[in-house]
């Protein structure tokens, strides 16, 4: 991994997490999926850096493939 | 598959069968070049060669222009090529110019865009014109060349039944209404379309992907208030879960495309009452219209592994196919023959080695891959192939209504632009201080000059552009005459910006297809000679 930040970078992690889960409250599964897709696109535009985006996609996919293994930079 | 309604221009024989003396010759007559297929690409190949003095015979199994409007969207670069072939003016006069596109999602407009054409170009970014008009203009051009004594012949209802490929020629077995005859060609250019019989006869196949979807095309004649714009619908109420496209053509003809899915009954879908029901759902119950042409098509994104097979060279849809999104089919075909004609001429004249034709493969396969990539991406966006793909597609469309950032992600077709042959084996030296858009491999960027449009002064031969610098009166290398065109840095602001940038002067070597070979800030005789030799495959 090159440019992707893999160290903690979000202040107030518990508060952020609560807000993220709260965002989906009362939504159907389909609505939730749509919100997630829009969120991914909004965040991707914020990041902007193509290399970082590729690394992030790879990290997301790998973390799922390896089950419990966490992605360590 | 297609049906026509009423008597139309495309139902009148334009190049009816006439007996050729070749049919009664004892032994097969050998021609320099035979082109198979009198569609737009075959006609372009024939006109280009004949204009440059290379004898050519065009064969077609039919005798009429394109059935129905088919390719309707012609981009700037092909228009420039057609100008060089003497057909551009009539196209642009008759065609419809458009700049505004609107994108709808569900029952709402999510955004609109303006192509914002750059100023200082002779030709617009795009025109819409029925393919049958284009073919008619091209056949007229063939007749005009014939009348002026150019070595060109167009033989209708001459169907190639068999091909024999030899080291230095190709043998053709041809059937006509009066029976069969044989012909020989030193070179065969196959422009016989997506289902290319020549390709099948040679046992050559395609690599790529077929998309499992069908599109219903209706050409509708109506007096309507729609402005001259391209309208694209994702998931509209009148075609739920699918897409639709509305495009204006000349003569109050509107092209309407409905995506209708894979599992359909083609015959049912093409019934006039069923098409009318769809159209009324879209245009309103009171809409009044006539149907000019209906067709259902499915499409492929694929190409041949190589376009040149010895003495047989493939061009246009016969060599590569794309989805219709982005209008990259016919538009790229014109760039094939534009690329091929001058090379073949030099090889036939013995001035260039046969190897020069390998650069046709290199350059046009690169372009085909670019077109296939773009049109495959558009297809994925328009017809998502998985639930995740549809989820993101819909997310992009929802966001595009509110946020500008999402609009570049909306992909309803990336409209055809010419390829820049950055990696071409024919390219010579570059001077990186000169503007990027006119680098080696790029097609000429048009601009106003004091003697008219630059693009009208380029092409059909090698040329040296001497811009505000010294250059010799005459230049010749390896038997190739090079015309020297003198230009001032102050031809126009656009000219300076596109060809000089900050540099005080520049020297460009241009190919007969109006692409840049090499460039410097001052004339250097040895470097120019080397660049020309390289551009004709001698080094």
């Amino acid at each position: 991994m090159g440019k992707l930040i893999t160290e903690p970078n979000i202040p107030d992690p518990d508060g952020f997490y609560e807000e993220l889960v709260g965002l989906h409250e009362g939504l159907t599964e389909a609505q939730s999926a749509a919100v997630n897709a829009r969120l991914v696109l909004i965040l991707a535009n914020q990041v902007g850096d193509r290399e970082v985006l590729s690394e992030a996609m790879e990290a997301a996919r790998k973390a799922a493939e390896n089950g419990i293994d966490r992605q360590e930079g | 598959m297609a049906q026509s309604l009423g008597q139309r221009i495309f139902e009148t024989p334009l190049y009816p069968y006439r007996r050729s003396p070749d049919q009664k010759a004892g032994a097969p007559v050998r021609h320099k070049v035979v082109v198979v297929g009198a569609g737009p690409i075959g006609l372009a190949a024939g006109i280009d060669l004949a204009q440059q003095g290379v004898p050519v015979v065009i064969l077609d199994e039919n005798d009429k222009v394109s059935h129905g409007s088919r390719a309707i969207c012609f981009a700037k670069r092909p228009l420039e090529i057609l100008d060089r072939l003497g057909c551009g003016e009539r196209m642009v006069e008759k065609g419809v110019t458009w700049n505004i596109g609107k994108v709808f999602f569900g029952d709402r407009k999510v955004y609109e865009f303006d192509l914002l054409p750059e100023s200082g170009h002779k030709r617009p970014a795009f025109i819409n014109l029925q393919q049958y008009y284009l073919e008619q203009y091209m056949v007229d051009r063939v007749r005009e060349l014939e009348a002026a004594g150019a070595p060109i012949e167009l033989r209708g209802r001459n169907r190639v039944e068999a091909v024999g490929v030899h080291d230095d020629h190709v043998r053709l077995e041809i059937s006509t209404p009066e029976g069969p005859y044989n012909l020989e060609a030193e070179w065969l250019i196959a422009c016989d379309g997506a289902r290319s019989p020549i390709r099948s006869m040679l046992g050559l196949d395609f690599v790529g992907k077929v998309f499992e979807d069908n599109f219903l095309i209706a050409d509708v004649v109506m007096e309507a208030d729609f402005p001259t714009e391209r309208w694209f619908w994702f998931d509209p109420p009148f075609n739920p879960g699918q897409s639709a496209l509305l495009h204006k053509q000349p003569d109050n003809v509107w092209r309407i495309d409905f995506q209708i899915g894979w599992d359909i009954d083609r015959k049912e879908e093409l019934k006039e009452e069923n098409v009318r029901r769809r159209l009324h759902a879209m245009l309103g119950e009171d809409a009044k219209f006539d149907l000019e042409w209906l067709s259902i098509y499915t499409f492929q994104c694929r190409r041949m592994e190589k376009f040149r097979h010895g003495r047989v060279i493939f061009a246009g849809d016969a060599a590569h196919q794309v989805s219709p999104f982005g209008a990259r089919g016919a538009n790229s075909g014109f760039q094939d023959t534009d690329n091929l004609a001058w090379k073949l001429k030099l090889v036939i004249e013995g001035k260039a080695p046969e190897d020069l034709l390998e650069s046709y493969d290199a350059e046009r396969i690169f372009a085909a891959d670019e077109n296939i990539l773009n049109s495959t991406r558009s297809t994925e966006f328009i017809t998502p192939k998985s639930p995740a793909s549809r989820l993101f597609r819909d997310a992009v469309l929802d966001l595009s209504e509110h946020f500008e950032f999402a609009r570049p992600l909306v992909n309803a077709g990336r409209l055809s632009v010419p390829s820049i042959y950055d990696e071409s084996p024919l390219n010579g030296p570059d001077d990186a201080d000169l503007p990027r858009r006119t680098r080696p491999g790029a097609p000429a960027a048009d601009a106003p000059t004091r003697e008219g449009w630059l693009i009208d002064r380029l092409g059909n031969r090698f040329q040296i552009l001497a811009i505000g610098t010294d250059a010799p009166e005459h230049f010749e290398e390896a038997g190739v005459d090079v015309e020297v065109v003198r230009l001032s840095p102050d031809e126009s602001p656009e000219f300076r910006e596109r060809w000089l940038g900050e540099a005080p002067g520049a020297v460009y070597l241009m190919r007969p297809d109006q692409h840049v070979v090499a460039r410097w800030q001052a004339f250097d005789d040895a470097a120019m000679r080397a660049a020309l030799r390289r551009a004709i495959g001698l080094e």
Side-chain angles (χ1 to χ4, degrees), chain B residues 94-105:
Chain B
K94 178 78 186 173
V96 168
T97 305
W98 60 276
N99 289 313
I100 303 287
K102 286 185 179 151
V103 178
F104 299 85
F105 182 36

Side-chain angles (χ1 to χ4, degrees), chain B residues 232-243:
Chain B
F232 198 98
W233 286 264
F234 294 98
D235 197 10
F238 58 83
N239 197 21
Q242 312 276 18
S243 66

Side-chain angles (χ1 to χ4, degrees), chain A residues 32-47:
Chain A
S32 232
V35 165
N36 276 338
R38 291 197 290 269
L39 185 60
V40 165
L41 292 166
I42 290 167
L43 294 176
N45 186 62
Q46 184 70 32
V47 170

